[in-house]
Amino acid sequence: MNHAALVYDTVEFGEQIRRARLEKGLQQDELADRLGVTRMTVSRLERGQSVSVDTALRALSECGYAIAV
């Protein structure tokens, strides 16, 4: 079953990324390695701080999610 999450700000987006990462059983450093970024970048993403759109979209993809606009 597909689930849709409505996200209204960067903090909610970061929380969704964190949940998705944990569901996949990944640590922040493991996701960072897959994305080619630092663990601190993943941490910033999950806290709703500024990261590139490319990094955010790739993080979603690595965690098995897609985005609809």
Side-chain angles (χ1 to χ4, degrees), residues 9-67:
D9 61 34
T10 58
V11 173
E12 288 181 33
F13 183 80
E15 290 170 358
Q16 289 295 322
I17 293 287
R18 181 177 182 275
R19 281 190 205 104
R21 175 181 60 77
L22 293 173
E23 286 175 8
K24 293 289 273 189
L26 296 171
Q27 298 294 317
Q28 282 185 341
D29 59 341
E30 293 170 315
L31 180 57
D33 286 345
R34 291 181 181 199
L35 299 176
V37 300
T38 66
R39 186 198 60 78
M40 285 305 301
T41 299
V42 172
S43 177
R44 283 196 319 270
L45 173 63
E46 291 183 359
R47 287 182 281 137
Q49 296 178 347
S50 180
V51 299
S52 73
V53 171
D54 180 60
T55 297
L57 294 177
R58 287 187 299 128
L60 281 173
S61 179
E62 280 295 326
C63 292
Y65 284 77
I67 189 167

